[in-house]
């Protein structure tokens, strides 16, 4: 029995010895931790943290400072200052709400100190040091605690900040609308320099009889109907813009004398346009100028477009004194009421003897020879155009109302849209497909404006549906009137660059990066240009 009892005690003693050894080891470790804690207990925890961060910053200060990386680094004082400053700004707003102007002033003062210190770091390229950051961080921390003590708690902060966010959103929306209105006004206004040019050209047209005689002689030129030549049509009331289109086209053509330009303008600018193109030579190219007011066949009884444009409600909407402030500014642009803008749908009627033409807008520049467009195989289609559906926005459903059963039953909402402004039109195929009649049909269907809102592209997407041949993207690059970030390589490779948008190259709001591409096709030696535009 005793032997068994002894054998039982041995493992118990062994277990106790193990526990005693474990407790002694744990006590030693705990004592060491307490020693370390007591050793640093007299130091401010913030100061200890700052010392640690300062050591890290000193390591990186030897290298050149990247301030963005510095402000994002968890080990930098710049980030801690920025975070404190953001929180302090929130409490400034709340303190003012509660009429505690003294606290708001104190916080604002420290915020300015933060900003100065961060600005200095950004300018000098040196990181913020412990000595610079510590007093500001401590004082800001104290003020933030003070704000919290007077019940500027998180709930109050959230409610207050939400109300301010809503107010800022409303102000931002109002500013966006206002900037859109101002941008639209700038785009619609004719600069004084161009008005001066028009006045001088009209004066020449009226005072120089030889110009009118020359115009009469050229009206019956056989070149105007010769299908062996290359025919371009431009519909515009802007003399200088049209001149740039013509000049850039002939300047980059291999055989400019084989080019024929058909220009249509309005009655006001007809004299100026005639005087300009009769007085200047464009490398032997043939140029015809017509007055839209002489197209007597284009009337309200034939064209639903003319009928709608003459509608008093449309006139009031675009030109009335009391316009709807809720209407999108772009929709109030009078160009959509301008018959010249819709004339592109009547090209076969205007030029009944032509078989193929290239349509050009007046806000583009030609950079390469365009005559190869005439030899492209359109595979029986009417319209050759560059597709614009590389981005999701340029799909049919973005331009047309697919809740309308007529639209949804006939068209694919995901169909790819294309660009108007540089288009090859096979007029033989156009007449065969009777595209103009299609246009009239859709204009009548949209008399109440429920299928599309504005412009000529939506009805064109309907009229040329299934009749458009995609062209290589390099033929027509768009966006120079609104997009600041077009790749230079894309611009250089483009045959045509299009300044579509409000920032036209002849306006003061033009994008400076692209304006020289347009300016170089203006003949600066001409007297009227020197007197009006260039001065």
């Amino acid at each position: 029995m005793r032997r068994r009892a002894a054998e039982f005690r041995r493992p118990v003693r062994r277990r106790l010895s193990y526990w005693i050894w474990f407790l002694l080891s744990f006590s030693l470790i705990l004592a060491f931790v307490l020693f370390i804690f007591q050793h640093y207990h007299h130091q401010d925890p913030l100061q200890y943290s700052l010392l640690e961060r300062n050591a890290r910053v000193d390591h990186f200060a030897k290298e050149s400072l990247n301030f963005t990386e510095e402000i994002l680094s968890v080990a930098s004082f710049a980030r801690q200052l920025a975070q404190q400053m953001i929180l302090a700004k929130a409490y400034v707003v709340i303190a003012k709400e509660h009429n505690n102007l003294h606290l708001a002033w104190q916080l604002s003062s420290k915020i300015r100190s933060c900003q100065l210190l961060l600005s200095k770091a950004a300018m000098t390229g040196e990181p913020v040091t412990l000595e610079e950051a510590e007093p500001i961080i401590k004082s800001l921390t104290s003020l933030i605690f003070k704000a919290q003590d007077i019940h500027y708690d998180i709930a109050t902060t959230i409610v207050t900040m939400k109300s301010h966010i809503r107010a800022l959103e409303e102000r931002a929306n109002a500013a966006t609308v206002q900037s859109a209105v101002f941008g639209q006004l700038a785009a619609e206004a004719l600069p004084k320099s161009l008005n001066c040019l028009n006045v001088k050209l009209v004066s020449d047209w009226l005072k120089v009889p030889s110009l009118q005689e020359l115009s009469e002689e050229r009206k019956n030129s056989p070149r105007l109907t010769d299908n062996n030549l290359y025919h371009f049509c431009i519909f515009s009331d802007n003399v200088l813009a049209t001149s740039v289109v013509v000049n850039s086209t002939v300047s980059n053509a291999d055989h400019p004398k084989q080019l024929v330009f058909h220009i249509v303008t309005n009655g006001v600018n007809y004299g100026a346009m005639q005087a300009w193109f009769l007085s200047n030579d464009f490398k032997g190219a043939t140029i015809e100028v017509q007055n839209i007011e002489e197209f007597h066949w284009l009337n309200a009884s034939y064209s639903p477009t003319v009928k709608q444009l003459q509608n008093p409600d449309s006139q009031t909407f675009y030109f009335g004194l009391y316009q709807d402030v809720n209407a999108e500014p772009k929709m109030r642009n009078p160009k959509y009421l301008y018959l010249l803008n819709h004339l592109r749908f009547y090209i076969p009627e205007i030029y009944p003897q032509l078989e193929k033409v290239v349509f050009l807008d007046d806000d583009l520049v030609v950079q390469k020879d365009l005559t190869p467009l005439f030899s492209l195989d359109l595979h029986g289609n009417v319209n050759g155009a560059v597709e614009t559906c590389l981005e999701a926005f340029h799909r049919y459903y973005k331009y047309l109302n697919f809740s309308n059963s007529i639209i949804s039953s006939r068209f694919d909402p995901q169909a790819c849209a294309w660009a108007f402004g540089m288009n090859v039109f096979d007029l033989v195929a156009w007449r065969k497909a009777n595209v103009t009649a299609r246009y009239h049909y859709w204009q009548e269907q949209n008399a109440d404006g429920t299928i599309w809102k504005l412009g000529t592209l939506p009805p064109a997407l309907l009229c040329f549906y299934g009749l458009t041949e995609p062209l290589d993207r390099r033929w027509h690059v768009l966006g120079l009137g609104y997009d600041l970030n077009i790749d230079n390589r894309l611009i250089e490779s483009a045959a045509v660059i299009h300044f579509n948008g409000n920032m036209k190259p002849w306006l003061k709001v033009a994008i400076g990066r692209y304006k020289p591409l347009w300016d170089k096709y203006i003949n600066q030696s001409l007297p009227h240009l020197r007197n009006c535009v260039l001065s």
Side-chain angles (χ1 to χ4, degrees):
M1 292 291 291
R2 290 179 181 176
R3 185 179 299 173
R4 288 180 180 176
E7 289 174 356
F8 176 77
R9 290 189 194 101
R10 285 192 193 102
V12 172
R13 288 173 184 169
R14 192 178 294 113
R15 291 189 191 98
L16 287 172
S17 65
Y18 287 158
W19 276 106
I20 291 168
W21 179 84
F22 173 78
L23 290 171
L24 286 172
S25 301
F26 181 79
S27 300
L28 287 171
I29 293 170
L30 183 62
F32 179 74
V33 171
L34 289 173
F35 171 77
I36 296 297
F37 176 79
Q38 290 173 356
H39 179 73
Y40 289 103
H41 181 262
H42 67 282
Q43 293 189 10
D44 188 346
L46 172 63
Q47 186 176 1
Y48 178 67
S49 174
L50 293 176
L51 284 168
E52 184 181 5
R53 292 187 180 187
N54 197 39
R56 293 178 186 175
V57 169
D58 287 342
H59 174 71
F60 293 107
K62 296 175 183 178
E63 303 176 3
S64 59
L65 178 70
N66 184 320
F67 191 71
T68 303
E69 293 179 0
E70 176 76 7
I71 205 76
L72 294 174
S73 171
V74 293
S76 73
F77 299 123
R79 175 168 175 165
Q80 190 170 350
L81 285 167
Q83 291 173 339
Q84 293 281 75
M85 186 169 63
I86 291 169
L87 191 57
K89 285 181 178 180
Y91 279 117
V92 167
V93 174
I94 298 169
K96 288 181 178 179
E97 288 279 337
H98 290 77
N99 207 30
N100 192 339
L101 300 182
H102 181 66
L103 178 59
W105 178 84
Q106 288 180 306
L107 287 166
S108 298
S109 176
K110 295 303 175 185
I111 289 169
R112 283 193 295 273
S113 300
C114 272
Q115 291 170 334
L116 288 172
L117 193 54
L118 292 174
S119 298
K120 177 188 172 186
M123 293 294 291
T124 60
E126 297 178 358
V128 179
T129 63
L130 167 66
E131 292 75 15
E132 294 171 322
E134 184 177 12
I136 298 176
I137 292 173
K138 281 187 173 181
S139 56
L140 265 179
T141 302
S142 174
L143 288 171
I144 289 169
F145 282 143
K146 182 178 178 182
Q148 291 172 344
D149 287 341
I150 54 178
H151 307 297
Y152 298 162
D153 56 12
I154 296 298
T156 305
T157 304
I158 291 171
V159 171
T160 305
M161 293 310 295
K162 278 185 176 179
S163 65
H164 279 278
I165 288 170
R166 282 194 295 270
L168 287 171
E169 285 178 347
E170 290 175 1
R171 288 173 61 187
N173 290 336
T176 301
V177 172
Q178 190 177 47
S179 66
V181 171
F182 290 155
Q184 198 64 53
L185 288 172
E188 294 167 17
L190 182 68
K192 290 182 179 179
S193 56
L194 295 186
N195 189 54
C196 165
L197 180 63
N198 280 6
V199 169
K200 289 184 179 295
L201 290 171
V202 170
S203 177
D204 289 349
W205 174 250
L206 296 174
K207 291 180 178 179
V208 183
S210 60
L211 289 177
Q212 298 187 30
E213 293 172 2
L214 184 58
S215 172
E216 288 298 322
E217 289 176 12
R218 292 186 178 182
K219 276 185 179 180
N220 300 316
S221 171
R223 294 173 61 84
L224 297 176
T225 56
D226 186 350
N227 283 298
N228 294 314
L229 302 177
Y230 303 104
H231 295 266
F232 300 84
C233 55
I234 307 168
F235 308 137
S236 174
D237 61 353
N238 188 323
V239 175
L240 193 60
T242 306
S243 175
V244 168
V245 176
V246 173
N247 193 25
S248 63
T249 306
V250 299
S251 297
N252 292 287
D254 293 338
H255 304 286
K257 291 183 179 180
Q258 295 181 16
L259 307 188
V260 181
F261 293 89
H262 304 269
I263 300 168
V264 180
T265 188
N266 58 12
V268 174
N269 294 281
Y270 176 72
M273 199 78 76
Q274 282 281 25
W276 178 267
F277 285 102
L278 290 170
S279 303
N280 298 290
D281 178 66
F282 292 87
K283 296 192 174 182
T286 301
I287 299 173
E288 173 193 34
V289 178
Q290 292 178 279
N291 184 355
I292 192 175
E293 294 176 11
E294 295 178 0
F295 297 168
H296 302 297
W297 52 269
L298 190 59
N299 50 52
S301 62
Y302 169 65
S303 169
T305 306
V306 175
K307 184 177 180 180
Q308 290 168 18
L309 295 181
Q310 292 176 353
N311 187 295
D313 292 337
S314 298
Q315 297 281 342
T316 302
F317 177 77
Y318 287 106
F319 298 108
L321 294 176
Y322 304 102
Q323 294 179 341
D324 181 7
V325 295
N326 296 318
E328 185 182 350
K330 183 180 177 181
M331 289 182 62
R332 296 203 300 266
N333 189 340
K335 80 173 186 178
Y336 297 116
L337 191 65
Y338 206 24
L339 189 56
L340 274 177
N341 202 46
H342 295 262
L343 205 57
R344 62 193 70 188
F345 293 101
Y346 297 96
I347 293 175
E349 281 95 334
I350 303 170
Y351 311 110
Q353 293 176 290
L354 297 183
E355 296 175 356
K356 184 174 281 189
V357 299
V358 170
F359 168 74
L360 299 174
D361 263 340
D362 65 357
D363 55 348
L364 53 80
V365 169
V366 176
Q367 300 187 128
K368 298 186 187 306
D369 184 18
L370 295 187
T371 56
L373 285 170
F374 290 84
S375 59
L376 289 178
D377 185 359
L378 299 183
H379 300 97
N381 289 310
V382 177
N383 172 31
V386 171
E387 292 184 331
T388 56
C389 56
L390 294 176
E391 301 172 6
F393 177 80
H394 299 287
R395 301 279 178 177
Y396 268 49
Y397 73 91
K398 286 291 185 179
Y399 296 95
L400 303 166
N401 178 17
F402 274 85
S403 64
N404 185 298
S405 59
I406 301 177
I407 298 299
S408 59
S409 64
R410 299 191 188 184
F411 301 95
D412 177 8
Q414 294 296 331
C416 189
W418 43 267
F420 234 153
M422 196 290 297
N423 305 81
V424 188
F425 290 127
D426 183 336
L427 301 186
V428 175
W430 183 314
R431 296 180 186 103
K432 184 178 179 180
N434 207 356
V435 175
T436 303
R438 291 188 183 193
Y439 171 66
H440 286 171
Y441 169 79
W442 287 115
Q443 283 293 128
E444 289 170 349
Q445 292 295 318
N446 193 50
D448 56 358
T450 57
I451 297 179
W452 71 85
K453 292 181 179 179
L454 54 89
T456 54
L457 181 57
L461 295 177
L462 300 176
C463 298
F464 294 102
Y465 187 71
L467 298 173
T468 298
E469 179 71 16
L471 302 182
D472 188 293
R473 187 186 180 194
R474 290 170 295 181
W475 278 113
H476 188 189
V477 171
L478 298 101
L480 280 77
Y482 68 88
D483 189 350
L484 299 169
N485 300 308
I486 302 175
D487 193 325
N488 282 330
R489 291 170 297 181
L490 186 60
I491 293 174
E492 290 169 4
S493 67
V496 170
I497 51 175
H498 198 161
F499 291 81
N500 57 310
N502 284 339
M503 299 179 184
K504 302 299 184 190
W506 55 84
L507 300 175
K508 289 184 178 180
V509 295
I511 299 174
R513 178 185 161 207
Y514 309 135
K515 197 173 186 304
L517 299 171
W518 188 84
D519 286 343
K520 71 179 182 179
Y521 291 105
I522 298 174
N523 187 348
Q524 301 183 10
S525 65
L526 298 176
H528 288 337
L529 281 176
R530 284 202 307 269
N531 295 335
C532 291
V533 179
L534 301 178
S535 62

